Amino acid sequence: MSRPSRVVIDKQALKHNFKHIQALAPHSKIMAIIKADAYGHGLVRVARTLSDADAFGVACLEEAEQLRIASITTPIVLLEGPHKATDLNDIVKLNLDIVLHNEFQLDILEQSKLDEPLHVWVKIDTGMHRLGFPLSKTDEVLKRVADCKNIKKPYRLMTHLATANEDSHPLTQQQLENFKQFCGDIDVEKTIANSAAVIGLPETHAEWIRPGLMLYGVSPMSDSHAEQIGLKPVMTLESELISIQKLEKGEPVGYGATWRCPEDMPVGVVAAGYGDGFPRHAESGTPVLVNGVRCALIGRASMDMLTIDLRNQPEARIGDRVVLWGESLPVEEIARHADTIPYELLCGVHKRLEFIERE
Ligand SMILES: *Cc1c(COP(=O)(O)O)cnc(C)c1O
């Protein structure tokens, strides 16, 4: 491929992060969350690398099907459950577990004739108010679950936290209290923790944890980055310098002429842009690494190109390597400069890029 932009996936880093998670929650089974093409890292690639996971969590049937076609036999949990009655046949065929989170799903489960009963995670809404049965309905729901022939027993229980990534937000304790009260002495397997809770709330680990972002070596906390918590970035987005200009003091750079040279200086052009998934809203000053040295993005990101202040790297030449995030440049930092979250940047890397696996 002549275009020099590429995504490097470090499989050792992925394995390292998984082991690190095991060490943080030694008594919990791990449902590795690999929805959204494994947060942009490649669904099947990540599933094959994480062969020790106890289960995989995906968002939709198409993702689950891709895994089964690739001969992945690990349990797979459909995190949104069935969307319509005919999904149930595919769920049985692909041997999937489901999250059961509303009455519509319970209705279609009760009304269907399935060859096999399904493993079900009953999801309780303890305060996030996205998916889950409301606390006021749970007695009635659990009775119907117990009576439903299409649900394998024992069922399992689940909830999801809205504010686990924020230090001591009052909603977190409220949700945990609600879940504890609701569970009472129901003796089934439970799961609460996403990455933020795996890291910051050990009391939420329970029988299963559900890490996503941290698998990929990224911190879910707004005030830290991965290295500080023992994780290694898995994805590096990199490209090369394709042009260098010497500009004079006062000359503008890029669309809208939003940035002007404060002095005579070298400006480099990198062959990557928002068409590759680099955020267009990244501000001037967003760091990039040129030959491993920190330089700054200047002016607006274009579709296929970025302009870089090369005053820190005056010897840089055409063809030199530029890292946009990943190794030695946390994606958390880029997200902060682009007014977004690392999740969005990772999921948004474009499939037109060449993906290279590092063993
Ligand atoms: C995406 C998701 C997770 C993983 O969240 P991270 O913040 O990436 O760890 C866990 N549980 C559910 C239900 C999810 O949808």
Side-chain angles (χ1 to χ4, degrees):
M1 218 181 275
S2 77
R3 211 157 167 277
S5 313
R6 60 204 158 239
V7 176
V8 180
I9 301 293
D10 183 344
K11 291 205 216 169
Q12 288 309 324
L14 186 57
K15 288 183 185 160
H16 164 90
N17 297 333
F18 186 83
K19 287 212 174 78
H20 190 69
I21 293 168
Q22 284 178 314
L24 284 175
H27 306 297
S28 305
K29 288 185 257 191
I30 300 179
M31 185 193 301
I33 303 298
I34 57 173
K35 63 195 181 196
D37 200 26
Y39 294 47
H41 293 66
L43 182 72
V44 170
R45 172 186 298 125
V46 167
R48 288 207 170 118
T49 309
L50 297 180
S51 50
D52 288 342
D54 299 287
F56 292 119
V58 300
C60 60
L61 270 171
E62 288 72 15
E63 292 173 335
E65 188 173 22
Q66 274 186 57
L67 293 173
R68 291 296 186 235
I69 288 172
S71 305
I72 306 270
T73 54
T74 308
I76 298 174
V77 181
L78 205 51
L79 292 171
E80 294 168 15
H83 297 154
K84 52 189 188 302
T86 51
D87 287 352
L88 290 170
N89 300 322
D90 296 326
I91 286 167
V92 171
K93 206 165 63 199
L94 295 168
N95 188 20
L96 310 180
D97 301 348
I98 60 169
V99 170
L100 176 70
H101 58 78
N102 66 22
E103 289 202 44
F104 167 78
Q105 293 179 327
L106 196 46
D107 291 343
I108 60 174
L109 263 177
E110 287 171 341
Q111 291 154 14
S112 299
K113 197 170 157 7
L114 303 184
D115 293 339
E116 296 271 347
L118 301 176
H119 266 305
V120 164
W121 289 92
V122 181
K123 188 167 189 176
I124 308 299
D125 177 13
T126 54
M128 178 158 176
H129 299 138
R130 192 177 58 179
L131 297 185
F133 291 99
L135 287 163
S136 59
K137 290 268 178 136
T138 48
D139 287 349
E140 178 197 330
V141 166
L142 288 188
K143 191 169 174 319
R144 284 173 67 186
V145 166
D147 291 343
C148 181
K149 300 241 172 347
N150 286 328
I151 296 179
K152 216 177 266 180
K153 308 298 176 323
Y155 63 86
R156 297 158 174 178
L157 289 173
M158 161 174 180
T159 194
H160 194 51
L161 300 174
T163 55
N165 63 327
E166 291 176 48
D167 214 14
S168 57
H169 192 292
L171 180 57
T172 305
Q173 283 316 314
Q174 182 68 55
Q175 286 197 263
L176 293 180
E177 188 51 39
N178 287 344
F179 194 59
K180 200 164 138 198
Q181 263 191 16
F182 152 74
C183 290
D185 51 11
I186 305 175
D187 187 20
V188 299
E189 292 189 333
K190 303 175 185 82
T191 179
I192 306 169
N194 58 2
S195 295
V198 168
I199 296 163
L201 300 165
E203 70 270 30
T204 64
H205 289 178
E207 285 79 10
W208 288 79
I209 54 173
R210 307 190 308 273
L213 191 70
M214 68 188 300
L215 283 169
Y216 310 103
V218 178
S219 169
M221 308 303 193
S222 36
D223 56 354
S224 71
H225 58 78
E227 222 177 270
Q228 295 165 320
I229 48 178
L231 300 169
K232 295 183 181 170
V234 176
M235 177 195 291
T236 294
L237 175 61
E238 62 178 38
S239 187
E240 290 174 8
L241 285 175
I242 56 164
S243 187
I244 298 172
Q245 294 215 61
K246 299 241 181 289
L247 299 184
E248 288 176 10
K249 180 176 175 174
E251 288 189 303
V253 176
Y255 283 122
T258 56
W259 198 89
R260 279 176 195 276
C261 297
E263 58 181 322
D264 295 358
M265 58 183 278
V267 169
V269 179
V270 182
Y274 61 79
D276 301 298
F278 190 87
R280 201 187 79 89
H281 291 289
E283 60 193 4
S284 289
T286 302
V288 300
L289 298 180
V290 180
N291 297 323
V293 177
R294 273 182 181 247
C295 296
L297 178 79
I298 53 179
R300 286 194 188 146
S302 307
M303 188 182 295
D304 297 288
M305 288 178 274
L306 304 171
T307 37
I308 307 292
D309 176 349
L310 286 178
R311 283 177 292 177
N312 284 347
Q313 193 45 207
E315 312 81 36
R317 292 285 168 268
I318 288 175
D320 284 357
R321 180 172 181 248
V322 179
V323 169
L324 301 174
W325 67 64
E327 196 189 334
S328 306
L329 184 60
V331 68
E332 296 91 316
E333 208 180 324
I334 310 306
R336 277 196 288 280
H337 280 280
D339 194 22
T340 182
I341 53 175
Y343 298 82
E344 188 180 33
L345 297 184
L346 297 178
C347 291
V349 290
H350 206 280
K351 300 305 172 229
R352 76 174 178 178
L353 291 168
E354 183 185 10
F355 276 66
I356 297 171
E357 294 182 9
R358 199 184 296 145
E359 295 299 326

